[in-house]
Amino acid sequence: AHSEIMRRMADLGVPIFTLHPGNEPILPEEREFRKDQSKKSLYALAQLAKELGVRIAVEDLPRSCIGNSSRELKELISVDDTIGICFDVNHLLKEDHLEFIDRLGDKIITTHISDYDFIDERHQMPGEGKINWPALFEAFDRIGYKGVINYETHNGPLMERYNMDGYNLGRILVRNHELLEAKKIPKPEDYLDLGIDVTEAY
């Protein structure tokens, strides 16, 4: 199924395919077997990616998932040196963001950006959770990351409490990204000049 999707989307010009290396729950006694199966699949898909002229990005995952640490992710992508990483900053539960970037920064080729409470994934808007956004974006600059900053914020209170049309939601995302690039943590007052009050969401 992954191969068929990759072939069809490559024809449309999609350059990077983000993959989960597994699912959960995973029992401790299953882990090594599941990692081996994941590596076999990733190797096969990497060969197809080279044939299609695209790249695979393996996403870091939370909890008991395969790929829930930089150490395990590094092991998974070692099957082919063309495989990169999709850094989902909302999934780290075993190490902090700067440690992850120090260990795997040269392999990051795309991102999923959202905030969380460090307890579990939340997919909140940046500024609603606990991520140190200035430090994270300074680290992106330090490794020379020039790829996509891809928001994945479908579960945050901002989305749940406000029935916004696409125009105003787009304005919030643009302002949020401007603040992140300026190494600032977004706050509710940062949107007031847009005529948008999100105070209760924070």
Side-chain angles (χ1 to χ4, degrees), residues 102-118:
D102 284 343
R103 293 167 183 160
L104 291 175
D106 62 330
K107 287 292 187 176
I108 297 171
I109 60 173
T110 191
T111 60
H112 285 169
I113 299 295
S114 60
D115 218 334
Y116 68 129
D117 56 9
F118 299 162

Side-chain angles (χ1 to χ4, degrees), residues 1-158:
H2 276 78
S3 296
E4 180 62 21
I5 290 169
M6 286 174 63
R7 290 183 188 279
R8 292 186 181 203
M9 298 308 292
D11 285 343
L12 298 176
V14 174
I16 296 175
F17 291 82
T18 296
L19 305 177
H20 284 195
N23 56 14
E24 64 176 345
I26 295 175
L27 298 174
E29 59 268 27
E30 298 178 322
R31 194 164 199 88
E32 289 305 313
F33 171 75
R34 296 282 289 274
K35 280 197 301 184
D36 286 343
Q37 293 301 106
S38 183
K39 286 190 279 189
K40 289 175 185 176
S41 295
L42 290 172
Y43 177 80
L45 291 170
Q47 307 322 300
L48 174 60
K50 284 186 269 194
E51 174 189 322
L52 297 173
V54 300
R55 292 193 70 184
I56 287 174
V58 180
E59 183 174 343
D60 60 296
L61 297 178
R63 299 176 301 273
S64 70
C65 294
I66 297 296
N68 64 5
S69 68
S70 58
R71 178 192 58 77
E72 195 163 87
L73 206 55
K74 185 174 183 177
E75 178 185 349
L76 294 173
I77 68 172
S78 68
V79 297
D80 192 285
D81 61 10
T82 65
I83 299 175
I85 288 171
C86 172
F87 185 18
D88 190 318
V89 302
N90 158 89
H91 282 169
L92 289 186
L93 302 177
K94 293 177 174 288
E95 61 200 306
D96 71 34
H97 297 85
L98 302 187
E99 289 173 339
F100 186 94
I101 288 174
D102 284 343
R103 293 167 183 160
L104 291 175
D106 62 330
K107 287 292 187 176
I108 297 171
I109 60 173
T110 191
T111 60
H112 285 169
I113 299 295
S114 60
D115 218 334
Y116 68 129
D117 56 9
F118 299 162
I119 297 170
D120 201 359
E121 60 180 329
R122 303 297 181 200
H123 294 280
Q124 298 170 321
M125 282 286 286
E128 292 182 85
K130 295 186 175 181
I131 291 178
N132 183 337
W133 293 102
L136 179 58
F137 270 70
E138 286 171 7
F140 281 148
D141 287 346
R142 176 167 47 78
I143 64 171
Y145 179 73
K146 302 295 183 186
V148 171
I149 299 296
N150 181 29
Y151 279 74
E152 190 184 39
T153 57
H154 52 280
N155 291 333
L158 190 62

